[in-house]
Amino acid sequence: MKPGLMIAAAVAATLAATAHAAPADSYRARTTADLVAVCGTASGDKDYATAIAFCHGVLAGAYNYYDLTTLGNKRFVCPPDPAPKRAQVAAEFVAWAKARPQYMDAHGIDTLFRFAAEKYPCR
């Protein structure tokens, strides 16, 4: 199996397993509002660990797919070295998205990459 397919399969399995930890409709990433709600779960919330694990899985999976499938001259997101921690990216994404309510109905991953392109542009 190709490395990209292996990673995609692993992410899908992880997300499926995580999604069963709570009601099916609790964790989504269809819209920006969905992703912001999950990634913005308060640390005192009883479902915090599950929500943040789901959020980080979505962020890592989306970026890893981009990283494996986007050639150098087509890249528009270039994080610094060392790369920021997932928790930092999640918190910055939530704050960024909340300041741009016009994206709340857009696809969550599309908005995630709008944020990433603005925060970590390729030079």
Side-chain angles (χ1 to χ4, degrees), residues 33-51:
D34 291 340
L35 192 54
V36 166
V38 172
C39 292
T41 300
S43 60
D45 190 289
K46 67 180 179 66
D47 292 326
Y48 174 77
T50 302

Side-chain angles (χ1 to χ4, degrees), residues 7-95:
I7 290 172
V11 168
T14 301
L15 292 178
T18 303
H20 292 313
D25 287 342
S26 295
Y27 301 107
R28 301 182 193 180
R30 291 183 200 142
T31 67
T32 300
D34 291 340
L35 192 54
V36 166
V38 172
C39 292
T41 300
S43 60
D45 190 289
K46 67 180 179 66
D47 292 326
Y48 174 77
T50 302
I52 295 306
F54 180 86
C55 169
H56 289 186
V58 170
L59 299 181
Y63 181 75
N64 285 337
Y65 179 80
Y66 165 81
D67 195 37
L68 288 169
T69 61
T70 307
L71 300 175
N73 63 343
K74 300 216 183 229
R75 295 180 72 78
F76 58 95
V77 175
C78 296
D81 184 21
K85 304 282 186 205
R86 286 183 192 136
Q88 176 187 343
V89 173
E92 290 174 349
F93 167 71
V94 168

Side-chain angles (χ1 to χ4, degrees), residues 96-117:
W96 183 94
K98 284 182 175 181
R100 292 158 181 83
Q102 69 271 25
Y103 296 129
M104 287 299 170
D105 291 330
H107 193 282
I109 302 303
D110 290 344
T111 303
L112 174 63
F113 278 97
R114 282 181 189 271
F115 156 76

